[in-house]
């Protein structure tokens, strides 16, 4: 017998601590000596990134004990942080950003990168094996006082600590070089300001001399209007690469003289936005077959039939991370689905079976408390499609009073070149199991739908994204799904910007949660801006080039419209954020003092861009629930009341 209670007040077994525990996701996976290895986030250990393997007993065994933290700040978002050369584990350590070697036999750990002149002023990432006992990587060096004063090189780091040695510096931004099977060439990707890697990149190849020095590089693919997001050697004379000359990231074979062939022309995205260098969306399987991720789902590309076919056994897994490896007659990777949280899974392609490599820690929430996302396509005022996933309230113990409509949260992903997937998201389930609906919007600009959909946001950030989120919210109201007086918008990073822009320029939402946001576009961008080098020219494409479009930067900055807030706002901010520094939120909140606009501002020591500590995640999530309860008028039993100021 279900109990009758207002939406938002339902009792739920899913706690904020459960959500924080689920934040320990696997990443940077590979197979070493027949064993599956991966990096694993540890929220309970301050967000440390541990390197682990699946042991013979099925238990997870740690390879780098605390305090080692296999993470780096390359491009601020990080790059591949570990590789293996024989019995040596080579990894980057977060605290000082140096490269270390751990001997797998003795356990000894030795630095092979020199001490930087100032803390974390030199960073390394996207590690790959090089020749003769050395590792190749991207080195990033601070060259001045501004965040955008950065130089990058491709370097070799001998395991004896005698390096680094510069190999090349073809572009301002680089991925780690990869050695050809015969040791004669190296390949990498590069791009320059103002492009982002999903705008245009170049695939470079250089000869490797006997002394290990790179010769002049040649560009084999990419360039104006073409993005290459992954490259791998196929043979000594050919490479495989994902590029989008026809508007979709497809897999191509490219010869050393630059001849490229699309192995299976499809209007599907087999690649993605290169936020973290070292990401892998495809994996050669041999005999002309390749494992690929088609808009996040596992599929097999067959060169003979020129087709891309989903793997039937993985229909329940709707989102695979861009980290794949060959294992046990198939593929191993990190995947999630509508009923399953992210896990390391093995797919036996011959047997057609799927098994988990790492067991879940603790008990998963009962399935009946997880809202099953419904894939929807809404329509913008301009007639464009808007892709979204609707997560309605779900709790088997409760039902709402007759005639009551649920509050809804419009979730805005980051990037803005990111996307949402239809998966069991405990962050969403924390709300839906309490009677609060969530709709995750893949607004114009999101990846997964081709370049044209992605470029709907070109020079339209703060316009198209806001309009799409508003259109989805209004459509849910019009069809009787959501309460028009209890709509909120929430997001972090670029999603925080869209949330702030929505609540300051529209009257659809009654509240907003804004996490580590961009609020002042002019202050954030440019060589002298408050953000880091990787995104310092991002707004050239999202807003427009300066100084010609300076008025847009002012008009679309939420900080200049703080007095026009349509409702209360909750700000959540890490104090060590180099991407969206706290100064922006500080200024916005200061401008609200004395204006009788309810708001709250929570800051967190030791947090960077995105929250990694369990205690931060718990505090932030419970504060958000209390915030909605106060604004929308429902009780939040067992949750400390957030103080709203005016």
């Amino acid at each position: 017998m279900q109990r009758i209670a207002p939406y938002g007040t339902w009792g739920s077994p899913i706690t904020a601590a459960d959500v924080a525990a689920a934040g320990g996701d696997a990443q940077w996976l590979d197979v070493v000596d027949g064993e599956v290895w991966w990096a694993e986030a540890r929220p309970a250990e301050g967000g440390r990134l541990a390197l682990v393997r699946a042991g013979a007993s099925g238990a997870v065994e740690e390879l780098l004990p605390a305090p080692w933290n296999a993470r780096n700040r390359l491009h601020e978002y990080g790059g591949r942080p570990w590789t293996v050369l024989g019995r040596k584990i080579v990894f980057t350590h977060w605290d000082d950003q140096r490269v270390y070697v751990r001997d797998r036999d003795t356990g000894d750990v030795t630095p092979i990168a020199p001490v930087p002149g100032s803390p974390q002023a030199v960073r390394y990432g996207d590690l790959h094996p090089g020749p003769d006992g050395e590792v190749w990587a991207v080195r990033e060096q601070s060259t001045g006082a501004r965040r955008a004063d950065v130089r990058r090189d491709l370097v070799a780091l001998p395991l004896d600590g005698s390096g680094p040695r510069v190999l090349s510096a073809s572009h301002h931004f680089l991925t780690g070089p990869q050695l050809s099977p015969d040791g004669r060439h190296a390949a990498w990707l590069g791009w320059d300001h103002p492009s982002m890697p999903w705008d245009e990149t170049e695939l470079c190849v250089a000869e490797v001399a006997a002394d290990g020095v790179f010769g002049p590089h040649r560009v084999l693919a990419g360039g104006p209007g073409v993005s290459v997001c992954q490259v791998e050697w196929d043979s000594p004379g050919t490479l495989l690469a994902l590029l989008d000359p026809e508007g979709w990231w497809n897999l191509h074979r490219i010869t050393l003289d630059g001849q490229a062939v699309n192995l299976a022309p499809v209007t599907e995205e087999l690649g993605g936005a290169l936020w973290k260098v070292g990401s892998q969306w495809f994996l050669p399987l041999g005999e002309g077959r390749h494992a690929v991720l088609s808009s996040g789902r596992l599929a097999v590309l067959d060169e003979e039939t020129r087709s891309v076919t989903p793997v039937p056994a993985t229909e329940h897994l709707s989102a695979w991370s861009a980290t794949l490896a060959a294992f046990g007659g198939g593929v191993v990777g990190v995947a999630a689905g509508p009923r399953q949280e992210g896990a390391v899974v093995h797919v036996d392609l011959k047997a057609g079976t799927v098994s988990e490599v790492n067991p879940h820690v603790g008990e998963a929430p009962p399935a009946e408390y997880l809202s099953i996302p419904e894939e929807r396509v809404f329509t913008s005022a301009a007639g464009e499609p808007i892709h979204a996933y609707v997560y309605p309230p779900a709790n088997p113990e409760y039902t709402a009073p007759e005639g009551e409509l649920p509050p809804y949260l419009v979730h805005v992903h980051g990037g803005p070149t990111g996307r949402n997937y239809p998966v069991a998201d405990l962050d969403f389930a924390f709300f839906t199991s309490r009677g609060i609906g969530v709709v995750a919007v893949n607004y114009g600009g999101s990846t997964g739908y081709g370049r044209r959909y992605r470029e709907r946001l070109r020079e339209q950030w703060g316009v198209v994204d806001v309009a799409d989120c508003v259109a989805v919210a209004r459509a849910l109201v019009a069809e009787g799904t959501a309460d028009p007086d209890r709509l909120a918008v929430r997001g972090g990073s670029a999603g925080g910007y869209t949330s702030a822009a929505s609540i300051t320029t529209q009257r659809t939402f009654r509240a907003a949660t804004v996490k580590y946001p961009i609020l002042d576009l002019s202050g954030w961008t440019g060589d002298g801006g408050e953000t880091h080098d990787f995104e310092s020219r991002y707004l050239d494409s999202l807003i427009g080039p300066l100084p010609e479009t300076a008025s847009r930067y002012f008009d679309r900055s939420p900080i200049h419209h703080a007095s026009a807030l349509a409702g209360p706002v909750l700000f959540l901010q890490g104090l060590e954020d180099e991407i969206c520094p706290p100064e922006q939120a500080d200024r916005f909140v200061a401008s609200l003092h004395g204006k009788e606009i309810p708001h709250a501002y929570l800051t967190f020591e030791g947090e960077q861009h995105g929250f990694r500590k369990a205690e931060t995640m718990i505090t932030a999530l419970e504060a958000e629930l209390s915030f909605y309860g106060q604004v929308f008028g429902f009780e939040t039993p067992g949750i400390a009341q957030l103080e709203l100021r005016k």
Side-chain angles (χ1 to χ4, degrees):
M1 187 72 177
Q2 288 186 312
R3 286 175 276 183
I4 298 176
Y7 287 116
T9 68
W10 299 352
S12 171
I14 301 174
T15 67
D18 294 329
V19 180
D25 59 316
Q27 49 196 284
W28 303 119
L29 176 147
D30 208 341
V31 171
V32 179
D33 296 337
E35 299 174 329
V36 183
W37 292 24
W38 66 91
E40 183 174 273
R42 298 282 178 84
E45 299 180 40
R48 183 173 77 92
L49 201 63
L51 182 62
V52 302
R53 68 180 174 187
S57 65
V60 172
E61 300 175 1
E62 191 147 356
L63 293 158
L64 294 175
W68 299 113
N69 186 353
R71 185 172 156 226
N72 59 69
R73 295 181 62 173
L74 180 65
H75 298 172
E76 283 301 335
Y77 291 100
R80 181 176 176 81
W82 70 273
T83 190
V84 174
L85 281 74
R87 299 295 297 172
K88 310 288 187 182
I89 302 172
V90 187
F91 66 98
T92 57
H93 179 49
W94 173 260
D95 289 358
D96 59 10
Q97 296 294 304
R98 297 170 73 192
V99 181
Y100 290 79
V101 174
R102 184 173 197 253
D103 189 297
R104 296 166 62 187
D105 297 316
T106 66
D108 295 340
V109 178
T110 307
I112 60 170
V115 177
S118 57
Q120 299 195 350
V122 181
R123 308 162 181 183
Y124 300 85
D126 201 14
L127 309 184
H128 293 274
D132 302 324
E134 64 184 23
V135 65
W136 287 352
V138 181
R139 181 180 64 182
E140 184 176 81
Q141 300 181 88
S142 175
T143 59
R146 301 177 306 175
R147 288 186 170 104
D149 292 335
V150 173
R151 173 185 170 83
R152 294 176 189 85
D153 303 282
L154 303 180
V155 297
L157 290 159
L159 298 189
D160 63 7
S162 61
R165 184 181 77 255
V166 174
L167 300 170
S168 183
S170 61
H171 295 74
H172 189 60
F173 298 100
L174 302 157
T175 67
Q178 299 179 51
L179 186 65
S180 64
D182 61 0
R184 296 179 58 189
H185 293 87
W188 67 92
L189 305 180
W191 67 97
D192 293 307
H193 280 317
S195 294
M196 298 300 285
W198 42 88
D199 296 327
E200 56 188 54
T201 49
E202 293 184 333
L203 167 54
C204 304
V205 167
E207 292 186 5
V208 181
D211 59 1
V213 175
F214 285 11
H217 76 275
R218 295 178 289 119
V219 175
L220 300 188
V226 177
S227 165
V228 189
C229 60
Q230 182 187 342
V231 61
E232 306 288 340
W233 283 100
D234 183 43
S235 72
T238 60
L239 300 110
L240 296 169
L242 289 168
L243 55 153
D244 67 344
E246 283 85 39
W248 300 84
W249 279 303
N250 281 191
L251 186 60
H252 294 68
R253 178 173 284 109
I254 304 169
T255 62
L256 290 180
D257 60 2
Q259 298 298 310
V261 175
N262 189 335
L263 300 182
V266 289
T267 54
E268 300 174 34
E269 292 284 40
L270 308 185
L274 191 61
W275 283 99
K276 294 185 177 183
V277 293
S279 297
Q280 292 181 295
W281 289 270
F282 78 87
L283 171 72
L285 298 173
E287 299 180 346
R289 299 168 76 242
H290 309 271
V292 296
L293 299 185
S294 179
S295 294
R297 293 180 179 270
L298 185 67
V300 172
L301 184 153
D302 189 307
E303 292 186 36
E304 183 178 355
T305 61
R306 294 168 65 83
S307 62
V308 174
T309 306
V311 177
T314 64
E315 289 179 352
H316 63 295
L317 298 172
S318 51
W320 288 70
S321 300
T323 180
L324 300 171
F327 179 70
V331 178
V332 65
V334 182
R339 287 289 194 188
Q340 180 175 323
E341 299 172 64
V344 178
V345 299
H346 170 232
V347 181
D348 188 322
L349 294 172
K350 292 182 179 179
T353 59
V354 179
S355 58
E356 286 196 12
V357 175
N358 67 321
H360 286 292
V361 178
E363 293 185 7
E368 59 267 29
Y369 291 90
L370 297 178
S371 179
I372 301 300
E374 178 188 355
E375 186 169 3
R376 299 282 303 274
V377 180
F378 299 90
T379 304
S380 73
E384 296 281 359
I386 309 169
H387 299 272
Y389 299 103
V390 177
Y391 293 75
N395 188 315
E397 299 182 55
Y398 290 89
T399 188
E402 186 176 354
E404 182 182 353
L405 291 173
Y408 255 82
L409 312 179
V410 172
H411 176 79
V412 191
H413 65 69
T417 315
R419 64 161 298 173
N420 297 296
Y421 291 95
V423 296
D425 189 317
L426 285 197
D427 179 73
F428 294 173
F430 180 78
F431 296 108
T432 57
S433 63
R434 288 169 168 78
I436 303 169
V438 176
V439 56
V441 181
N442 285 338
Y443 49 87
S446 305
T447 53
Y449 308 100
R451 180 178 281 264
R452 181 184 178 279
Y453 193 85
R454 195 164 72 243
E455 293 194 342
R456 280 185 56 210
L457 207 60
R458 184 167 288 274
E459 298 196 7
Q460 294 297 311
W461 197 32
V463 179
V464 165
D465 50 324
V466 171
D468 283 1
C469 290
V470 167
V472 169
R474 289 177 176 172
L476 293 178
V477 168
E479 68 186 32
T481 297
D483 186 339
D485 296 320
R486 295 192 294 176
L487 296 172
V489 60
R490 69 189 298 262
S493 188
Y497 166 77
T498 300
S499 299
S502 297
I503 197 72
T504 54
T505 62
Q506 302 289 322
R507 290 296 176 263
T508 300
F509 302 109
R510 300 293 186 265
T513 296
V514 179
K515 299 185 289 186
Y516 32 91
I518 303 164
L519 299 166
D520 179 358
L521 298 171
S522 299
W524 187 79
T525 194
D527 292 340
E530 294 170 316
T531 194
H532 61 136
D533 180 54
F534 178 62
E535 293 181 89
S536 63
R537 297 291 302 277
Y538 195 4
L539 300 192
D540 282 41
S541 60
L542 291 176
I543 305 296
L546 288 170
E548 302 96 297
T549 61
S551 61
R552 292 182 196 166
Y553 285 72
F554 183 92
D555 293 342
R556 297 187 199 170
S557 292
I559 200 165
H560 300 309
H561 308 287
S563 60
L565 280 168
V569 62
L570 167 62
F571 287 95
L572 303 168
Q573 177 71 52
L575 292 178
E576 295 182 11
D577 193 338
E578 293 287 332
I579 295 171
C580 295
E583 291 87 347
Q584 296 226 338
D586 291 347
R587 294 199 300 271
F588 193 106
V589 172
S591 73
L592 298 179
H593 292 165
K595 292 184 178 177
E596 298 299 310
I597 300 173
H599 65 276
Y601 183 30
L602 302 184
T603 59
F604 301 96
E605 294 279 356
E607 290 286 9
Q608 296 91 42
H609 196 63
F611 300 147
R612 292 174 174 83
K613 298 180 179 181
E615 59 267 31
T616 300
M617 298 176 188
I618 293 168
T619 298
L621 201 55
E622 291 185 344
E624 190 176 356
L625 178 60
S626 174
F627 173 63
Y628 299 137
Q630 292 181 62
V631 175
F632 294 149
F634 56 78
E635 298 295 324
T636 54
I639 302 295
Q641 182 165 304
L642 174 71
E643 180 184 357
L644 294 179
R645 300 180 179 180
K646 293 185 178 180

